């Protein structure tokens, strides 16, 4: 890690521990605010202010899902007043904090499934945007996952082709899953570390892979390979956040939320070279199947 990387990592640590302004952050790491802004975005994929907002939102979401009182969760997450989270956080949650904690109670979500190059996909959206993309073997299983995520929301299955809001978003997701260029807005909700991992994954070029340890080292946390694997497992946005591009240190493809056959297929489609170790694992699995 070079000197500038050390300064950027220090800036990130300061953001994890408090809410310094850009000027205060620059003074602390001996970089001008403008230079720090550019370097930080290049390293982490978002500005210091955006990083801080994501960290606070991730903490709020985790507390709400664990059943914390809404007011306590707001202040513990660092929001100075309830109005601040409704200004900055509600749009990211896709609903107010109280409704998110209540499993989406009072929300009306429209959803549809679409046949894609990777099988059936479910796309769900509130009036503010997409809140879930999930792959599965069939519509019933996908709907069950949606209901588990938002158990108290009003869910309306619609024909995506006849819904002016949902239709273009479903088409964009289908195009992305087919490997085509498509502009799909991704709302990453998680802890600050998970967000860092997902940002790093989206910077892995198509056709290339990284090991969990390499991703951890890139984030300045060389001992966090298992935490990187955990963040990959919690990715709810199939393919759009390409956790399939992360493999084990020996080159074998490791785990995948949507199944190893799909992960291997994605890597082959993107032209990634599968290792000798992965071939050995695949052949051993096939041999067990024939036995």
């Amino acid at each position: 890690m070079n000197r500038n990387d050390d300064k950027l990592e220090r800036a990130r640590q300061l953001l994890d521990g408090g809410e310094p302004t850009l000027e205060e952050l620059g003074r602390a790491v001996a970089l001008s605010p403008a230079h720090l802004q550019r370097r930080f975005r290049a390293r982490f994929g978002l500005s210091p202010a955006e990083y801080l907002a994501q960290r606070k939102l991730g903490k709020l979401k985790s507390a709400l899902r664990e059943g914390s009182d809404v007011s306590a969760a707001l202040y513990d997450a660092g929001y100075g007043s309830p109005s601040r989270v409704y200004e900055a956080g509600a749009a990211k949650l896709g609903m107010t904090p109280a409704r998110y904690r209540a499993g989406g109670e009072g929300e009306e979500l429209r959803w549809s499934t679409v046949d894609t190059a990777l099988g059936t996909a479910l796309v769900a959206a509130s009036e503010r945007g997409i809140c879930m993309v999930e792959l599965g073997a069939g519509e019933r299983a996908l709907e069950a996952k949606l209901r588990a995520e938002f158990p108290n929301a009003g869910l309306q299955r619609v024909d995506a082709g006849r819904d002016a809001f949902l239709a273009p978003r479903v088409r964009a997701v289908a195009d992305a899953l087919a490997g085509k260029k498509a502009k799909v807005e991704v709302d990453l909700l998680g802890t600050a570390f998970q967000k860092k991992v997902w940002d790093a994954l989206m910077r892995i070029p198509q056709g290339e892979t990284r090991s969990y340890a390499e991703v951890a080292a890139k984030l300045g946390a060389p001992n966090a390979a298992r935490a990187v694997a955990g963040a990959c497992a919690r990715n709810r946005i199939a393919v759009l956040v390409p956790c399939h591009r992360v493999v084990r240190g020996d080159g074998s493809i490791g785990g995948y939320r949507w199944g190893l056959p799909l992960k291997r297929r994605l890597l082959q489609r993107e032209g990634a070279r599968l290792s000798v170790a992965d071939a050995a694992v695949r052949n051993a699995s096939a041999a067990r199947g024939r036995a």
Side-chain angles (χ1 to χ4, degrees):
M1 185 180 292
N2 61 38
R3 187 177 179 183
N4 272 337
D5 285 341
D6 286 339
K7 291 182 176 182
L8 294 174
E9 182 59 27
R10 174 57 180 158
R12 185 190 64 79
Q13 292 171 356
L14 290 171
L15 288 169
D16 283 342
E19 297 186 38
T21 65
L22 184 62
E23 289 73 19
E24 291 169 340
L25 207 57
R27 286 196 296 271
V29 300
L31 290 174
S32 71
H35 187 57
L36 173 61
Q37 179 98 331
R38 289 195 302 271
R39 299 286 300 181
F40 195 95
R41 183 180 290 279
R43 173 75 185 276
F44 298 111
L46 63 171
S47 71
E50 291 167 342
Y51 179 90
L52 180 60
Q54 286 287 345
R55 179 183 65 78
K56 291 166 65 175
L57 184 62
K59 186 174 181 180
L60 171 63
K61 184 181 177 185
S62 295
L64 293 172
R65 292 299 298 272
E66 290 169 4
S68 296
D69 173 76
V70 172
S71 296
L74 293 176
Y75 288 103
D76 287 346
Y79 292 100
S81 67
S83 63
R84 291 298 301 277
V85 72
Y86 288 97
E87 294 167 1
K92 291 291 185 180
L93 285 169
M95 56 190 68
T96 64
R99 287 185 174 179
Y100 185 85
R101 177 175 179 256
E105 184 175 359
E107 289 291 322
E108 295 296 325
L109 305 182
R110 289 169 288 174
W111 66 275
S112 186
T113 58
V114 59
D115 291 330
T116 76
L118 301 178
T120 304
L122 179 146
V123 181
S126 70
E127 63 182 7
R128 289 164 291 278
I130 290 177
C131 58
M132 187 172 181
V133 175
E134 185 70 41
L135 296 174
E139 185 173 302
R140 292 183 66 181
L142 291 170
E143 183 180 357
K145 291 182 179 180
L146 175 63
R147 292 187 180 280
E149 182 74 10
F150 301 104
N152 300 319
L155 301 178
Q156 178 186 4
R157 195 209 186 289
V158 300
D159 182 341
R162 297 182 179 179
D163 187 294
F165 178 81
L166 196 58
R169 288 158 176 79
V170 170
R171 287 196 299 271
V173 169
D175 285 345
L177 298 188
K180 301 176 183 177
K181 289 186 177 180
K183 184 176 181 180
V184 182
E185 293 183 358
V186 178
D187 188 9
L188 301 178
L189 297 174
T191 65
F193 182 79
Q194 289 169 349
K195 177 65 165 56
K196 283 176 57 184
V197 171
W198 298 332
D199 285 339
L201 301 189
M202 290 190 288
R203 292 196 293 272
I204 300 175
Q206 183 172 311
E208 297 184 18
T209 60
R210 301 287 186 272
S211 71
Y212 296 104
E214 286 174 328
V215 174
K218 184 70 174 177
L219 297 177
N223 297 320
R226 292 187 66 179
V228 168
C232 290
R234 290 173 177 81
N235 169 29
R236 290 189 176 88
I237 307 180
V239 184
L240 306 183
V241 176
C243 54
H244 59 277
R245 295 176 188 163
V246 187
V247 299
R248 290 176 177 163
D250 64 0
S252 58
I253 64 175
Y256 191 53
R257 177 188 176 104
W258 292 280
L260 293 184
L262 178 56
K263 182 173 184 176
R264 187 175 291 109
R265 180 182 172 189
L266 287 168
L267 291 172
Q268 291 172 332
R269 185 180 77 178
E270 294 180 353
R273 293 183 177 180
L274 299 184
S275 70
V276 173
D278 179 61
V281 171
R282 187 169 67 255
N283 291 338
S285 178
R288 287 194 299 271
R290 291 193 297 269

